[in-house]
Amino acid sequence: WTIALCIVLILWSLHNVPIFIGTMIYSDVYRMLVIIGTIILFLIIAVNIAVISKEILKKKFNKRYNLYVKDLRFKNIEIIDDLSAYSNVNTDIVIKDLNKAVKMKLIPQGHFGRDNMIFMVSDEIYDRYYRKQVEERLRMKERTKEMQMIMDQGQGYVDKIHESNDIIKDKVISQKLDRMESVVSMIFHEVDVNPNNADKLGMFMNYYLPTTEKLLEAYIDIAEKKVKGKSLEKTKKDIEGAIDKIIDSFEGLLDKFYQEKDLDIATDISAMEVLMKQDGLME
């Protein structure tokens, strides 16, 4: 109705503009009044065009917002690019719309992640995300030179596994390398959280990871050869079998870290129970 009323006012103004202009040209008596009237008519036209534009933009925003809500309804966090693809809206417009929705309290607890790459729909999720970032930054500040060197080497091996996975076309091997990359990343994360675990990385860093890198390079070299003999095929099969054993050994190392953590927790619980009994807080 607002748009319809504005259109009516614009048409009425346009209808009267020629009359006002004619009067202004041929009449000296009413010229000043007609000039004022003409200015008012143009102001009416401009204001109504602005109102129509605003209403159209509002309708378009509401249409896009409904798509965003449909995608976010059952999610706590969403990647902006995925939301853009789902709604078929440019990424910059999605970010602008979501900022507007937060300001208008349509998504009262909405937050953007770093570089506007992700969007979180609740304060709780944002706090968790932000807390992880803060903890990571604190750990980086507190790292010694030796620890930073270990983390840099570890990231280098993780990147190498990832690059090899991008080259290898075999889906089964690719899935195994995904698992390997994940395990290696978690091992270095545990070392970063608890630097005491760095002492247990001797063979892992000095032999297992370099050897794994060599095996992957050899597998890629064999896979890229157009002509393969029995010897090459056997070597390829041997490497594929070795990958499973390597992953198992890496998971074994990670499991040792978790077992020690569980032991520490169990010790803390036992000590607390003893103190509670001494204080008469439990039987």
Side-chain angles (χ1 to χ4, degrees), residues 101-124:
V102 172
K103 287 178 182 177
M104 293 173 65
K105 305 296 183 185
L106 296 172
I107 309 177
Q109 296 186 13
H111 298 278
F112 283 95
R114 188 175 58 185
D115 299 328
N116 291 337
M117 293 178 66
I118 60 173
F119 185 74
M120 292 153 278
V121 298
S122 71
D123 292 337
E124 182 184 358

Side-chain angles (χ1 to χ4, degrees), residues 133-182:
Q133 282 195 324
V134 171
E135 288 171 358
E136 180 64 23
R137 286 171 187 164
L138 285 173
R139 279 204 304 273
M140 289 178 71
K141 285 181 181 179
E142 292 170 357
R143 283 175 190 162
T144 61
K145 287 183 179 179
E146 292 78 10
M147 181 55 65
Q148 188 60 54
M149 191 180 298
I150 289 172
M151 296 307 297
D152 290 342
Q153 281 183 293
Q155 189 58 52
Y157 284 118
V158 170
D159 291 342
K160 181 63 180 179
I161 294 168
H162 189 84
E163 289 169 10
S164 299
N165 199 0
D166 286 341
I167 297 170
I168 292 170
K169 300 293 188 291
D170 189 293
K171 289 184 179 179
V172 176
I173 300 300
S174 182
Q175 288 174 352
K176 291 178 181 180
L177 291 183
D178 282 337
R179 184 175 151 209
M180 182 189 290
E181 181 183 343
S182 177

Side-chain angles (χ1 to χ4, degrees), residues 170-209:
D170 189 293
K171 289 184 179 179
V172 176
I173 300 300
S174 182
Q175 288 174 352
K176 291 178 181 180
L177 291 183
D178 282 337
R179 184 175 151 209
M180 182 189 290
E181 181 183 343
S182 177
V183 173
V184 173
S185 295
M186 285 191 287
I187 286 172
F188 283 104
H189 173 74
E190 287 301 316
V191 172
D192 193 21
V193 172
N194 184 7
N196 292 330
N197 287 326
D199 296 336
K200 303 178 182 70
L201 294 181
M203 288 291 286
F204 179 71
M205 292 282 290
N206 298 323
Y207 181 72
Y208 295 139
L209 284 176

Side-chain angles (χ1 to χ4, degrees), residues 164-171 173-174 177 214-229 231-237 239-240 243:
S164 299
N165 199 0
D166 286 341
I167 297 170
I168 292 170
K169 300 293 188 291
D170 189 293
K171 289 184 179 179
I173 300 300
S174 182
L177 291 183
K214 287 181 182 177
L215 290 175
L216 291 175
E217 287 174 352
Y219 186 90
I220 291 169
D221 185 51
I222 293 170
E224 288 180 345
K225 290 185 184 297
K226 293 183 179 178
V227 180
K228 297 184 184 70
S231 178
L232 286 178
E233 284 294 342
K234 183 180 180 303
T235 303
K236 186 180 175 184
K237 290 291 182 184
I239 294 172
E240 289 174 358
I243 287 174

